[in-house]
Amino acid sequence: MSATYQVVDGIAVVTMNNPPVNGLGYETRRGIADGFEKANADPAVKAIVLTGAGRAFSGGADIREFDSPKSLAEPNLLTLIKLAEASAKPIVAAIHTVCMGGGLELSLGCPYRVASPGAAIALPEVKIGLIPGAGGTQRLPRVLGVETAMNMIVSGEPVRSELLASQPGQKLFDRIIDGELIAGAVAFAKEIADQRPLPSVRDLKASHPNPDAYAQFVRNMVKGMSKNFPAPLACVEAVAYSLKAKSLDDGLAEELRIFKGLMLTPEAKALRHAFFGERAASKIPDVPENTPQRDIRKVGVIGAGTMGGGITMNFLNAGIPVTVLETKQEALDRGVATIRKNYEAQVKKGKLKQDKYEQRMALLGTTLSYDDLKDADLIIEAVFEEIGVKKAVFEKLDEIAKPGAILASNTSTLDVDRIANFTKRPQDVVGMHFFSPANVMRLLEVVRGAATAKDVLATVMTVGKKIKKTAVVSGVCDGFIGNRMIEQYSRQAGFLLDEGCTPAQVDKAIERFGFAMGPFRMGDLAGNDIGWAIRKRRAVEHPGMKYSRTADLLCEMGRYGQKTGAGWYDYQSGKRDAIPSAVVEQMIADHRKELGIAPRRIGDDEIVQRLVYALVNEAAHILEEGIANKASDIDMIYLTGYGFPLWRGGPLCWADSVGLYNVVATMRRFAQNPHDDAAFWQPAPLLQRLVAEGRSFT
């Protein structure tokens, strides 16, 4: 059983023990139910304390059982809550550290609740596209008041136990216990052991002085903030129903009806896919979870530019000392000034306290000498994206870095195996591809070289978590996972211009689909000269690869994007608003004439399908080649690094929702287009197999 039972001075203590967060899996539920039954049958037991071992009271449902028969097997969570409500002997939920989701709902079925200060209390189901489904929307308003409960349920954010306990009239906690929780809970249980009748949340009323007006106010506010996400508004309706429910059971029935409806929505499925995908990203098939890791206490960063400065801030934020190396003092000074400016902006906005800012800056060291990186445990280069420059850096690092130091390249496209072979220690070399701005973007592509040691990989994945990144492993190929796919997306965007679209039309279509930014606005932000350099390299390495010439013509005009004030769009000084350019549209029209293409009207559906299906087909090749470990890894890269809409779950999740048969049929139609790349639109072998077998990516 995943729950233990002991009697302490006449009080039965039932302890959930299902690491890491005491998820309410089948064995744990059985253990709790058996503990309640045993305690009620023992005349020597006066009361029961329910708690959790280790680092949590309970984090809620056991995610390892999601969508499996075990998740609903009896005793399910609803049954367990009924057992707690029906217990002849008082049950005290002793809450500490983490009490979320089903864990909080279970505690609300207990007559009494005590808590340690600092415990994180939450009903986070909205974050996976659902509402609480075991009474949370009906019981929490009864113990905390409708407004506090509404805020917690709609946001899904945790609130500290002592803050909730300080709310006027709250009935969530009977006592906040400083000191040893179990001893305090047992003492409290002895105090109330003989009290009858037992209190019950079932007997409380949810009330508000202006229920209809309040509910409508919240609906209006949430509707404007939760476009494309049905769950927040459903949370509002469920909590609002607690005010008019004829009984708790009536409210529970309505909650369950709403919950079941949400379970089937594509948005909820996408959010659950993302939830599990983020957790699965750290699991690498041949790297066991218990792989020994290297200590990372000091970090070196080579390059104080935009990328180097952003990388540095990640480690300073995590409390890890960083030494930044540059070749010239002026470059160092500029880099440090930018870091200061970024932090000072956070202080000014109230997002960072002054003392925290000072602590972080105190961890920052600078140098012009490689010798000052000799004691670094991890050294990350963020220098110019050119193989000769990387070679010089890694040869120098091989000379000065201590044995066992991890040497990482922030390259976005170059061959990590080739970079590793510039050293005599390829096993210590790994790619750490941060996304710009590195101090903001969540994605970290961890590029595993042919020789990268398993402990290096395991260490870097843990470092990624420590600096609050979503770390995803990629194998070595040109562009790795994200940029290799985005190249095909960008190629399609170029062909669409050749055939009749404007940059603004393409951008608006994909932004309406949900992308944060269309391909042409993205190019202007990143710098169109970066793509130009890649295409020049492609012309040498893969002369048969077809591109629209419009992007090269743009760069030949010196229109590199926002940094030059002109790209696919025009920009006014000091502003980032993308203004459609008559000059660019004329250039595109002239180019079409040269090609002999008569422009045609292209609808949003075709634009979206060509861009997104290009991602899907290239992703299928990447999976087949073993560059990505699993489909969800690819989706996580696009959700966290490329602005793919979260409610669609990533390109492969979305392709599954459309139906892979339909995706392949559309791709074959695109292959007939004489102005596109027919060879590219041949479905990847993996995609063809999945269709033939009636299976999906995810």
Side-chain angles (χ1 to χ4, degrees):
M1 293 294 179
S2 295
T4 61
Y5 180 92
Q6 62 176 323
V7 178
V8 179
D9 202 11
I11 305 299
V13 179
V14 178
T15 305
M16 294 174 274
N17 189 11
N18 183 17
V21 292
N22 297 319
L24 293 167
Y26 173 70
E27 295 297 330
T28 303
R29 299 194 306 272
R30 276 289 306 276
I32 296 168
D34 289 351
F36 288 171
E37 182 180 359
K38 188 173 182 179
N40 274 290
D42 186 348
V45 169
K46 302 299 181 187
I48 304 163
V49 168
L50 173 67
T51 192
R55 297 178 294 168
F57 172 78
S58 173
D62 192 330
I63 65 172
R64 292 166 293 196
E65 291 185 2
F66 262 45
D67 295 327
S68 75
K70 275 191 171 183
S71 66
L72 297 175
E74 293 286 3
N76 61 35
L77 180 55
L78 293 170
T79 298
L80 210 55
I81 292 170
K82 287 179 182 176
L83 290 175
E85 283 187 320
S87 174
K89 297 177 181 179
I91 302 175
V92 179
I95 292 165
H96 65 92
T97 321
V98 172
C99 179
M100 295 188 181
L104 178 55
E105 290 174 305
L106 174 57
S107 78
L108 290 169
C110 300
Y112 300 97
R113 288 160 298 282
V114 300
S116 294
I121 312 298
L123 289 172
E125 287 81 356
V126 69
K127 295 186 176 184
I128 55 171
L130 299 172
I131 66 168
T137 67
Q138 304 304 302
R139 289 189 174 93
L140 198 63
R142 286 168 161 80
V143 297
L144 276 181
V146 171
E147 293 193 15
T148 301
M150 182 76 82
N151 289 339
M152 288 181 65
I153 293 168
V154 171
S155 73
E157 293 298 324
V159 182
R160 294 296 172 191
S161 51
E162 66 272 22
L163 179 60
L164 293 174
S166 69
Q167 301 292 309
Q170 71 85 27
K171 296 180 178 65
L172 177 58
F173 297 122
D174 297 281
R175 187 171 294 175
I176 294 292
I177 295 178
D178 290 306
E180 213 285 311
L181 176 64
I182 301 306
V186 167
F188 177 79
K190 291 168 71 175
E191 283 179 36
I192 53 85
D194 297 324
Q195 291 186 15
R196 296 294 185 278
L198 295 176
S200 173
V201 174
R202 180 176 287 276
D203 299 328
L204 303 175
K205 292 282 186 186
S207 63
H208 193 279
N210 299 294
D212 293 338
Y214 171 69
Q216 191 57 47
F217 166 76
V218 180
R219 278 188 201 101
N220 293 341
M221 184 174 64
V222 171
K223 192 180 293 183
M225 297 169 58
S226 62
K227 183 184 177 185
N228 302 310
F229 293 96
L233 202 55
C235 287
V236 174
E237 298 304 335
V239 174
Y241 194 83
S242 72
L243 291 164
K244 60 183 179 182
K246 296 173 185 175
S247 64
L248 179 66
D249 288 333
D250 177 31
L252 294 175
E254 178 65 7
E255 178 190 79
L256 190 58
R257 184 191 70 77
I258 296 171
F259 178 87
K260 287 180 175 178
L262 283 173
M263 281 287 287
L264 301 175
T265 63
E267 294 86 358
K269 291 178 181 178
L271 289 172
R272 290 201 300 277
H273 172 69
F275 177 83
F276 291 119
E278 185 160 10
R279 282 146 187 81
S282 62
K283 301 184 188 306
I284 307 164
D286 64 333
V287 181
E289 289 187 16
N290 61 355
T291 300
Q293 296 185 19
R294 304 186 188 186
D295 286 336
I296 304 297
R297 297 178 184 175
K298 293 182 179 180
V299 172
V301 174
I302 302 174
T306 301
M307 186 58 76
I311 292 170
T312 297
M313 288 180 70
N314 287 306
F315 290 94
L316 300 180
N317 295 348
I320 300 172
V322 181
T323 299
V324 179
L325 169 71
E326 260 293 356
T327 55
K328 294 181 180 178
Q329 188 64 46
E330 309 89 83
L332 266 181
D333 293 342
R334 278 196 306 273
V336 172
T338 300
I339 292 172
R340 283 192 181 279
K341 181 181 175 184
N342 288 338
Y343 279 139
E344 286 167 359
Q346 292 179 29
V347 172
K348 190 174 181 180
K349 293 175 184 175
K351 295 181 178 179
L352 182 68
K353 292 183 178 179
Q354 182 69 28
D355 62 334
K356 290 286 186 185
Y357 161 46
E358 291 168 1
Q359 287 170 18
R360 291 175 185 182
M361 290 306 299
L363 294 171
L364 176 61
T366 61
T367 184
L368 299 174
S369 171
Y370 274 89
D371 288 340
D372 290 327
L373 302 182
K374 282 183 176 180
D375 62 346
D377 303 299
L378 167 65
I379 304 173
I380 305 170
E381 65 78 11
V383 300
F384 187 68
E385 187 77 343
E386 198 278 317
I387 197 68
V389 178
K390 307 284 189 189
K391 181 175 187 289
V393 168
F394 275 84
E395 286 177 345
K396 187 64 179 176
L397 289 179
D398 197 33
E399 290 177 21
I400 63 95
K402 69 180 183 181
I406 296 174
L407 310 181
S409 173
N410 180 53
T411 180
S412 58
T413 56
L414 299 177
D415 188 336
V416 169
D417 289 332
R418 190 175 173 193
I419 291 171
N421 287 329
F422 295 144
T423 75
K424 298 181 184 69
R425 49 172 106 179
Q427 73 280 359
D428 294 335
V429 177
V430 68
M432 290 181 72
H433 178 207
F434 290 82
F435 284 68
S436 187
N439 54 307
V440 175
M441 296 295 287
R442 286 174 54 206
L443 178 60
L444 173 63
E445 262 187 327
V446 177
V447 186
R448 181 182 193 175
T452 302
K454 290 182 181 181
D455 65 333
V456 168
L457 198 59
T459 301
V460 169
M461 295 299 284
T462 297
V463 165
K465 190 176 293 186
K466 189 164 188 178
I467 62 174
K468 298 184 177 178
K469 299 296 183 190
T470 299
V472 182
V473 175
S474 170
V476 175
C477 67
D478 198 334
F480 315 128
I481 296 171
N483 283 343
R484 174 172 160 180
M485 288 168 60
I486 209 71
E487 184 173 8
Q488 300 301 336
Y489 170 93
S490 299
R491 282 208 309 145
Q492 285 303 312
F495 296 148
L496 285 163
L497 297 186
D498 291 347
E499 295 171 42
C501 289
T502 64
Q505 183 189 355
V506 174
D507 283 348
K508 285 176 182 175
I510 200 70
E511 287 164 13
R512 279 192 285 267
F513 174 79
F515 266 81
M517 191 177 290
F520 298 108
R521 287 179 61 210
M522 181 179 68
D524 278 359
L525 178 63
N528 294 306
D529 51 326
I530 295 172
W532 196 22
I534 292 171
R535 288 190 299 278
K536 288 176 180 176
R537 179 160 61 87
R538 286 280 184 275
V540 175
E541 297 171 358
H542 303 286
M545 186 172 278
K546 180 181 177 183
Y547 292 92
S548 165
R549 274 273 298 145
T550 51
D552 292 349
L553 293 171
L554 186 81
C555 291
E556 288 168 10
M557 296 162 67
R559 298 180 67 101
Y560 296 158
Q562 290 185 17
K563 61 188 174 185
T564 59
W568 293 105
Y569 298 91
D570 293 330
Y571 297 90
Q572 294 178 353
S573 179
K575 296 182 179 179
R576 295 196 172 191
D577 298 335
I579 303 166
S581 169
V583 172
V584 170
E585 290 183 15
Q586 187 60 52
M587 176 270 286
I588 295 168
D590 292 344
H591 180 60
R592 283 192 204 115
K593 285 181 183 177
E594 284 183 31
L595 296 174
I597 297 175
R600 64 182 176 91
R601 183 178 178 80
I602 301 175
D604 283 4
D605 284 350
E606 181 180 342
I607 293 170
V608 168
Q609 288 173 343
R610 284 175 67 173
L611 294 180
V612 181
Y613 290 0
L615 295 176
V616 171
N617 201 35
E618 192 64 20
H621 286 294
I622 285 170
L623 280 169
E624 184 128 44
E625 294 166 21
I627 300 299
N629 289 320
K630 47 195 173 294
S632 61
D633 284 355
I634 293 174
D635 283 340
M636 290 315 303
I637 283 174
Y638 268 78
L639 291 172
T640 59
Y642 291 85
F644 199 95
L646 177 59
W647 69 90
R648 298 191 190 275
L652 299 185
C653 179
W654 184 68
D656 284 345
S657 71
V658 170
L660 298 189
Y661 176 89
N662 298 322
V663 171
V664 166
T666 304
M667 287 170 53
R668 287 182 170 137
R669 192 173 73 246
F670 292 156
Q672 305 305 311
N673 181 348
H675 306 304
D676 205 325
D677 182 350
F680 171 74
W681 284 121
Q682 297 307 308
L686 173 62
L687 191 48
Q688 294 183 60
R689 282 202 307 278
L690 291 175
V691 171
E693 296 167 10
R695 295 192 297 125
S696 62
F697 284 115
T698 59

